[in-house]
Amino acid sequence: MDKLMNRSWVMKIIALLLAFMLYLSVNLDDGASSSNKILNRSSSANTGVETLTDVPVQVSYNEKNRIVRGVPDTVIMTLEGPKNILAQTKLQKDYQAYIDLDNLSLGQHRVKVQYRNISDNLNVVVKPDIVNVTIEERDSKQFSVEASYDKNKVKNGYEAGEAIVSPRAVTVTGASSQLDQVAYVKAIIDLDNASKTVTKQATVVALDKNLNKLNVTVQPETVNVTIPVKNISKKVPIDVIQEGTPGDGVNITKLEPKTNTVKIIGPSDSLEKIDKIDNIPVDVTGITKSKDIKVNVPVPDGIDSVSPKQITVHVEVDKQGDEKDAEKTDESADETKSFKNLPVSLTGQSSKYTYELLSPTSVDADAKGPKSDLDKLTKSGISLSANVGNLSAGEHTVPIIINSPDSVTSTLSTKQAKVRVTAKKQSGTNDEQTDKETSGSTSDKETKPDTGTGSGSGTNPGTGNSGDSTDKPSEETDTPEDNTDTPTDNTETDDDSSNQSDENSTPVDGQTDNTSGN
């Protein structure tokens, strides 16, 4: 055999066979590949791609004794393959992404994210597919809980006290490295403008020294927090002192605040130290008479605010000598107060006439008197009137009468009013003539004894006929003057009465004759 192998032609034949076999092998692979490409092209219409987002990652490890950090909560899975299988996988939703850490030791590891419950006919791509995880021993520690709240968020005038937390301590569980970073365990409370004690349940969080929340578990997760809120205001009396020099000859006899107490607001310890705000300065520089002065109330040290911030102080003064007498004279002097457009009313009207106030319809008045009385006097306290009770038909001027309090003297801008009197018309009767007859009879009775004898025979004062012959011409002469205005109301009234007496002289004289005869 060795001799055969040593021959050259044998080796050439073997080499040729090997080359032929290699050739066949290459051609067969190319053929298979081409065949697969043809199959893929023929089936591409039946394939598809599905992307599954937010697929939860399940971790398998000893949860009782270990803590794992670095595992992502979710991953993205892309599935490619036949459409019917993709649809079925997506519909059933029993696919999972997971990491198996059961056989890994403590420390850091790079592990592959795996999947299951997905058909082998699908091509699966997971992102991320490799993650860095840290496996640590699980540890637990107890920490005291501190209530966290802003004391400035209580209502103004109130103060938040120290919080009471129940339970006072909680158990924090996590990796040893995480527990070593715990700097604060807090229960956060919002006081929200509180004016009374606040009691709430608050979630407990573990924070590092930079106030970043740590990935640990706290048990219990919530605690009860009670924060007392109390009123921190206090009422204290005040006292004032004189500051400055009053005017010449003036002495300050009294400084009297109209507010005796003020409310102060501040911390409790500061409130306890203050029982009174005294020596509040009242500047009386140059003051010459009693008056009220507004004064700012100072805020004591340690106090936040004072209410009211300003008070009124009555300053009483006493003047000496002439100045005091002059002031009394000024106080007793009368003052004047004006009233505009006071209405004028008519009084004494007769039902037989109509009356019209021609002018003025309103009058201005000046009232003079003590200031205290004038301050009380209003427009309704002064009334103006014109009496028309003795007027007959025609236009007349009558005085305006003013009615005001006894302590006040009033002066009118116009002292007389002009009035028009018109007789009312009645069926079959001349009201004016009737009124004249009635008035004439009365006037004749009053005046006849003095005038009736002037035109008689001179021997019989009571002769009626002589009175008749004398009165008739007088009636004709006096009649035109009946409607003539005269400056004085009394004169006008007498003329009317005389005329009326003449017109009715016959019955009156007859009556006189009978009396004389008797």
Side-chain angles (χ1 to χ4, degrees):
M1 187 66 180
D2 293 336
K3 292 179 179 181
L4 183 62
M5 294 298 293
N6 288 331
R7 294 180 180 180
S8 60
W9 60 271
V10 174
M11 295 301 295
K12 291 179 180 179
I13 292 173
I14 293 173
L16 181 62
L17 289 173
L18 292 173
F20 180 74
M21 292 175 64
L22 180 61
Y23 172 79
L24 290 177
S25 176
V26 172
N27 284 330
L28 287 173
D29 288 340
D30 289 341
S33 177
S34 298
S35 176
N36 287 337
K37 289 179 179 179
I38 293 171
L39 289 173
N40 286 337
R41 281 196 296 270
S42 64
S43 61
S44 61
N46 295 322
T47 62
V49 178
E50 286 286 350
T51 299
L52 307 176
T53 59
D54 298 329
V55 178
V57 178
Q58 298 183 1
V59 185
S60 177
Y61 68 100
N62 184 353
E63 297 183 14
K64 184 176 181 181
N65 299 318
R66 294 186 175 187
I67 294 291
V68 174
R69 295 186 291 112
V71 178
D73 295 330
T74 61
V75 294
I76 298 174
M77 297 175 61
T78 302
L79 309 181
E80 182 180 6
K83 289 183 178 180
N84 59 337
I85 299 177
L86 287 175
Q88 183 179 3
T89 302
K90 188 176 180 181
L91 181 63
Q92 291 178 351
K93 293 184 178 181
D94 57 351
Y95 50 84
Q96 293 179 348
Y98 70 96
I99 296 175
D100 187 0
L101 305 177
D102 285 332
N103 296 320
L104 297 181
S105 61
L106 300 176
Q108 294 183 349
H109 303 274
R110 285 176 58 84
V111 294
K112 183 177 180 62
V113 180
Q114 305 179 64
Y115 58 87
R116 53 192 167 205
N117 298 333
I118 297 178
S119 172
D120 294 337
N121 293 323
L122 300 178
N123 183 30
V124 181
V125 177
V126 181
K127 292 184 180 180
D129 60 338
I130 301 294
V131 295
N132 295 318
V133 298
T134 301
I135 303 175
E136 297 181 83
E137 286 286 352
R138 175 183 289 274
D139 196 4
S140 296
K141 289 184 179 179
Q142 279 200 336
F143 292 89
S144 296
V145 181
E146 178 185 357
S148 178
Y149 54 97
D150 187 351
K151 290 185 176 182
N152 295 324
K153 286 192 175 182
V154 295
K155 190 175 182 180
N156 187 33
Y158 291 82
E159 180 183 54
E162 293 298 323
I164 301 172
V165 181
S166 179
R168 184 64 181 173
V170 294
T171 300
V172 180
T173 301
S176 298
S177 61
Q178 292 286 88
L179 294 182
D180 291 340
Q181 297 181 44
V182 175
Y184 311 99
V185 177
K186 292 184 175 293
I188 301 174
I189 295 291
D190 186 4
L191 292 179
D192 192 22
N193 202 36
S195 58
K196 60 182 180 180
T197 298
V198 175
T199 300
K200 290 184 178 180
Q201 275 198 338
T203 301
V204 182
V205 294
L207 308 172
D208 63 15
K209 63 180 181 179
N210 297 320
L211 299 181
N212 298 313
K213 185 178 178 180
L214 297 171
N215 185 22
V216 294
T217 59
V218 180
Q219 199 66 22
E221 296 180 351
T222 61
V223 294
N224 293 321
V225 180
T226 299
I227 302 173
V229 177
K230 58 182 179 180
N231 190 323
I232 55 170
S233 64
K234 178 181 179 180
K235 284 190 175 183
V236 295
I238 59 174
D239 188 24
V240 296
I241 59 171
Q242 176 181 331
E243 184 178 81
T245 304
D248 293 340
V250 175
N251 293 324
I252 305 299
T253 60
K254 183 187 295 184
L255 295 176
E256 185 177 5
K258 294 189 175 182
T259 301
N260 295 322
T261 61
V262 295
K263 182 170 70 173
I264 57 176
I265 298 173
S268 300
D269 54 349
S270 297
L271 292 178
E272 292 175 358
K273 299 176 183 177
I274 299 174
D275 296 323
K276 184 179 183 180
I277 301 179
D278 54 8
N279 297 329
I280 300 176
V282 181
D283 189 3
V284 297
T285 302
I287 191 171
T288 59
K289 62 181 181 179
S290 300
K291 62 186 296 187
D292 290 342
I293 298 179
K294 291 188 178 299
V295 178
N296 293 327
V297 180
V299 179
D301 293 338
I303 296 301
D304 296 332
S305 63
V306 174
S307 178
K309 296 180 180 179
Q310 194 176 70
I311 61 172
T312 300
V313 178
H314 179 68
V315 181
E316 193 76 29
V317 304
D318 181 26
K319 291 187 177 182
Q320 299 176 352
D322 296 337
E323 291 185 2
K324 185 173 181 181
D325 295 337
E327 182 175 324
K328 290 183 178 180
T329 302
D330 291 340
E331 290 177 353
S332 61
D334 288 343
E335 294 187 3
T336 301
K337 186 174 184 180
S338 297
F339 296 90
K340 301 293 184 181
N341 300 323
L342 295 173
V344 179
S345 61
L346 301 179
T347 60
Q349 296 98 323
S350 170
S351 61
K352 298 177 182 180
Y353 296 93
T354 58
Y355 300 87
E356 181 182 0
L357 180 62
L358 300 179
S359 65
T361 57
S362 63
V363 178
D364 298 340
D366 290 333
K368 186 176 182 181
K371 182 178 182 303
S372 57
D373 292 339
L374 290 181
D375 289 341
K376 300 175 184 178
L377 183 61
T378 62
K379 197 172 183 178
S380 61
I382 300 178
S383 62
L384 306 181
S385 63
N387 191 343
V388 297
N390 295 324
L391 301 185
S392 59
E395 292 187 0
H396 308 276
T397 301
V398 294
I400 300 174
I401 302 171
I402 184 168
N403 183 21
S404 61
D406 295 337
S407 60
V408 174
T409 302
S410 300
T411 304
L412 301 179
S413 60
T414 302
K415 297 183 178 180
Q416 291 183 327
K418 194 170 185 179
V419 181
R420 177 183 292 139
V421 182
T422 305
K424 293 181 179 179
K425 299 295 183 180
Q426 296 182 0
S427 58
T429 304
N430 188 322
D431 292 335
E432 183 178 356
Q433 182 64 29
T434 303
D435 186 63
K436 285 183 178 181
E437 292 175 357
T438 304
S439 175
S441 299
T442 304
S443 175
D444 191 36
K445 289 178 183 180
E446 294 174 352
T447 59
K448 200 66 178 180
D450 295 331
T451 59
T453 60
S455 56
S457 60
T459 59
N460 189 357
T463 304
N465 292 334
S466 298
D468 262 346
S469 61
T470 304
D471 288 342
K472 293 297 181 179
S474 176
E475 178 182 355
E476 295 176 0
T477 304
D478 293 342
T479 301
E481 297 178 359
D482 189 41
N483 292 326
T484 302
D485 278 334
T486 58
T488 306
D489 291 336
N490 293 336
T491 304
E492 182 182 8
T493 305
D494 292 342
D495 289 343
D496 290 342
S497 299
S498 177
N499 293 336
Q500 292 167 2
S501 175
D502 290 340
E503 291 171 0
N504 299 282
S505 60
T506 300
V508 175
D509 288 343
Q511 185 177 356
T512 304
D513 285 338
N514 294 334
T515 304
S516 300
N518 291 333

